[in-house]
Amino acid sequence: MRLLAISDLHLASPVNRDALAALPDFPDDWLIVAGDIAEQPSRVAAAFTALTRRFAKVIWTPGNHDLWTVPGMAWRGPRKYEALVDLAREHGVVTPEDPFPVWPGPGGEVVIAPLFLLYDYTFRPPHLPLARVVEWAREERAMCGDEFMLAPTPYASRIAWCHARCATAADRLAGLEGAPTIIVNHYPLRHDLVRIPRAPRFSPWCGTVLTEDWHRRFNVKVAVSGHIHLRRTDWRDGTRFEEVSLGYPRQWRQERGLQAYLRQIWPTPEPPPAAGFGPR
């Protein structure tokens, strides 16, 4: 019995959809899906159907692509999130709005906390004013589709939405009273984990400094994230940080199959993974 993880399935791609269809069964294992399944709810539903048939339990948190309002869609921002939570629950998938499940298998008891935290543009150079963030990113051709397709209404901004989500999540984590925890969030918890050589100025859309110390503050054993599309393992203060993206077809090797990109989160693999561990 293992806790596995993957993110950024991006099922708008036929290649990725075929890979999901070919995924074998893992009837004893639990699976974390850390966001960016697809923009269309119908494809998210199809993924939930496929994954819940293959795994004993599925735990999900949304990515920004899941929340985009694409042409022909009425749902916007928080309303789409609520609809996806309802959809997940119909399939028996654990969401950030549900009680945190407790891992009952090998490696020791640990609470699995799927979170939805967003970002607030604080992953930027300290001298750069907030008002210049988008302009600064565009200078090197970096831009996030969220600026056009992720509406925060009824929140005043995505920043306000992020801060509300972080406040609620921090309260829930504090209520665990130091229990060993695995945090799952689409975005990395720390700025120093955002290394994107192909688009270094994409970092403002990658998280918030509000979570920089959460791995120490909440006794986090492993922090799982995606979004960056660069699979790797990092360690900070004894906490393992796992980036578990699949990504677009050009970013993974189809001949290996989707199963090669399922990262073991718990129990800790032997030997413990080093930085950069995992299939490329």
Side-chain angles (χ1 to χ4, degrees):
M1 183 180 183
R2 300 169 298 167
L3 176 63
L4 306 175
I6 197 165
S7 73
D8 296 79
L9 292 172
H10 290 291
L11 297 180
S13 161
V15 170
N16 289 19
R17 293 200 299 273
D18 289 345
L20 176 60
L23 184 69
D25 291 345
F26 296 81
D28 297 325
D29 297 331
W30 291 16
L31 180 69
I32 290 167
V33 184
D36 277 5
I37 294 176
E39 295 80 5
Q40 293 288 352
S42 60
R43 287 188 174 138
V44 175
F48 287 157
T49 297
L51 294 172
T52 52
R53 288 174 178 170
R54 288 167 169 81
F55 292 88
K57 186 183 288 290
V58 177
I59 299 162
W60 165 83
T61 191
N64 54 316
H65 281 252
D66 301 319
L67 300 175
W68 280 4
T69 299
V70 294
M73 183 180 295
W75 290 331
R76 295 170 61 84
R79 179 64 191 96
K80 188 176 184 187
Y81 172 60
E82 293 167 1
L84 290 176
V85 167
D86 291 342
L87 182 63
R89 287 170 169 169
E90 289 173 10
H91 288 80
V93 173
V94 179
T95 82
E97 306 309 310
D98 297 318
F100 295 150
V102 177
W103 173 252
E109 187 173 287
V110 64
V111 179
I112 304 169
L115 306 177
F116 167 42
L117 303 178
L118 278 167
Y119 54 84
D120 61 1
Y121 304 92
T122 51
F123 284 6
R124 66 179 193 270
H127 66 275
L128 183 69
L130 175 62
R132 284 206 63 240
V133 165
V134 173
E135 176 189 354
W136 171 80
R138 280 178 171 161
E139 288 172 358
E140 293 194 1
R141 298 184 178 181
M143 178 52 62
C144 183
D146 295 3
E147 296 297 318
F148 315 103
M149 291 183 281
L150 183 53
T153 308
Y155 294 95
S157 64
R158 282 181 294 277
I159 294 173
W161 191 9
C162 168
H163 291 179
R165 296 294 313 182
C166 286
T168 298
D171 286 345
R172 292 186 70 191
L173 292 170
L176 298 177
E177 299 181 339
T181 303
I182 294 171
I183 282 183
V184 182
N185 183 48
H186 182 63
Y187 307 91
L189 296 185
R190 293 177 55 87
H191 191 184
D192 61 5
L193 300 176
V194 180
R195 297 181 292 274
I196 317 175
R198 67 187 181 276
R201 294 195 180 186
F202 189 75
S203 61
W205 293 280
C206 293
T208 169
V209 298
L210 293 175
T211 61
E212 290 276 324
D213 68 344
W214 281 21
H215 65 295
R216 297 189 304 269
R217 184 176 166 191
F218 299 120
N219 193 19
V220 176
K221 300 304 180 182
V222 190
V224 179
S225 66
H227 192 58
I228 307 299
H229 290 204
L230 286 173
R231 294 171 291 279
R232 61 177 294 119
T233 299
D234 289 282
W235 295 85
R236 297 290 185 276
D237 308 306
T239 297
R240 177 160 50 101
F241 290 80
E242 294 282 5
E243 208 285 0
V244 299
S245 298
L246 180 68
Y248 301 117
R250 67 181 182 276
Q251 295 170 326
W252 64 283
R253 294 164 54 187
Q254 286 84 57
E255 71 274 13
R256 301 194 66 172
L258 187 61
Q259 61 268 29
Y261 293 87
L262 299 174
R263 185 68 60 90
Q264 183 168 326
I265 303 303
W266 200 257
T268 300
E270 295 292 344
F277 169 86
R280 289 296 188 235

